[in-house]
Amino acid sequence: MQRRYFLISLIVGLSFLVAVIGYAIPPEKEKVPARVVLDNTGGRVLFSHRTHAEEYHTDCADCHHYGLEGGTSLPCGACHPPEFNDEFRLNHQKAFPDKAACLRCHDEAPTGPLAEGERPDIESIPTRGDAFHTMCQGCHEQGGGPFGADACYQCHER
Ligand code: HEC
Ligand code: HEC
Ligand code: HEC
Ligand code: HEC
Ligand code: HEC
């Protein structure tokens, strides 16, 4: 009898230990995330990230046209905000790990307010919604996958 209780508490104790350890050690950050959730006003998009990279044979750089080194990715929104407003103007500098990224838009890494002629041409940089629609649907139109006026809810949740 006592032996049985001992065994049961041992098992319970061990599973608890395993759970605690599993919880304490964060899983290694995935190099190719399985799924990416993209929340937006058109309805959440559950993007099958790994399937795209592995089964649809799209190259990382087809989508990550900037900033995919060492398995880390700069969020698209760092450069493609919902709009180029004051919030972006004042805060975007903090979104980048190094000065090299500045040169994607600026002629040289700025340190203070910009003179008229030094400002990036925002007409040539798509906003977030446009960047995603152009990228996702542009490729689908050529290589298969949902695009166009009837396809909204193949990507967006209702
Ligand atoms: C079809 C387009 C596409 C392809 C191909 C693709 N990605 Fe991504 N990836 C995305 C999008 C979109 C995001 C989300 C970015 C965001 O949230 O701003 C993302 C996010 C990521 C993230 C960050 C995830 C996070 O949770 O922060 C990593 C890391 C990443 N991708 C690595 C890769 C690697 C490595 C490859 C190639 C093996 C790859 N991706 C191929 C579109 C793609
Ligand atoms: C470091 C800044 C930066 C990051 C990060 C970035 N982009 Fe861009 N992107 C730009 C700039 C600047 C342009 C303007 C056109 C050009 O200079 O290539 C652009 C252009 C684009 C275009 C239009 C291309 C064309 O041919 O018209 C698409 C689509 C796009 N980006 C999608 C994305 C997506 C999706 C992500 C995230 C996976 C992303 N971008 C991440 C800076 C960035
Ligand atoms: C996706 C393009 C993009 C990238 C990348 C980018 N910037 Fe900018 N930056 C802009 C735009 C657009 C403005 C606003 C221009 C205007 O006022 O019309 C701006 C404005 C600025 C300003 C002036 C802010 C003010 O108060 O007027 C500074 C300083 C600046 N950027 C620094 C940086 C630094 C430093 C980096 C890199 C770490 C960087 N930017 C990367 C697009 C970018
Ligand atoms: C470089 C090419 C490419 C890009 C970029 C791309 N896709 Fe796809 N996508 C495909 C291909 C190829 C298929 C498979 C078509 C088929 O087999 O019918 C697909 C299928 C899909 C499907 C239906 C099947 C599934 O896996 O869910 C959805 C939804 C989808 N893509 C969403 C997206 C979204 C959202 C983006 C942008 C973040 C995106 N795709 C960017 C190539 C691309
Ligand atoms: C191939 C997949 C795909 C299709 C098809 C698609 N979208 Fe999207 N849509 C996206 C993604 C990805 C985003 C960006 C998500 C984010 O901002 O994180 C987006 C963003 C949006 C947004 C918010 C940003 C903005 O521009 O205001 C709206 C609204 C939207 N879509 C409406 C639509 C409508 C309406 C249709 C059909 C005519 C459609 N979408 C078709 C993938 C798709």
Side-chain angles (χ1 to χ4, degrees):
M1 206 53 180
Q2 277 196 337
R3 198 183 138 93
R4 198 160 102 212
Y5 282 127
F6 174 73
L7 263 180
I8 292 173
S9 11
L10 189 71
I11 291 168
V12 169
L14 277 180
S15 356
F16 182 70
L17 200 69
V18 167
V20 168
I21 293 176
Y23 187 76
I25 304 174
E28 202 188 324
K29 211 162 188 266
E30 287 179 282
K31 290 226 159 61
V32 187
R35 228 168 282 113
V36 176
V37 181
L38 298 162
D39 251 318
N40 67 94
T41 54
R44 206 159 72 126
V45 174
L46 268 182
F47 172 52
S48 58
H49 183 270
R50 191 182 291 149
T51 309
H52 271 77
E54 289 175 2
E55 284 171 35
Y56 303 157
H57 305 293
T58 51
D59 284 333
C60 309
D62 284 346
C63 307
H64 296 278
H65 77 101
Y66 186 90
L68 191 67
E69 288 112 25
T72 58
S73 140
L74 267 181
C76 315
C79 295
H80 301 286
E83 53 177 319
F84 289 98
N85 53 15
D86 274 350
E87 193 196 326
F88 175 86
R89 186 172 58 81
L90 297 173
N91 296 324
H92 72 285
Q93 296 92 312
K94 298 171 207 134
F96 306 103
D98 55 51
K99 299 281 180 206
C102 317
L103 307 181
R104 196 67 184 72
C105 302
H106 295 279
D107 292 337
E108 44 191 280
T111 47
L114 302 174
E116 198 57 55
E118 295 172 343
R119 300 191 182 160
D121 171 21
I122 54 174
E123 300 297 319
S124 69
I125 312 170
T127 53
R128 186 177 174 100
D130 287 345
F132 274 106
H133 278 159
T134 303
M135 179 194 60
C136 309
Q137 304 200 70
C139 176
H140 291 168
E141 199 166 353
Q142 307 202 316
F147 71 95
D150 301 328
C152 315
Y153 296 114
Q154 291 179 48
C155 292
H156 291 280
E157 280 175 10
R158 280 181 202 268

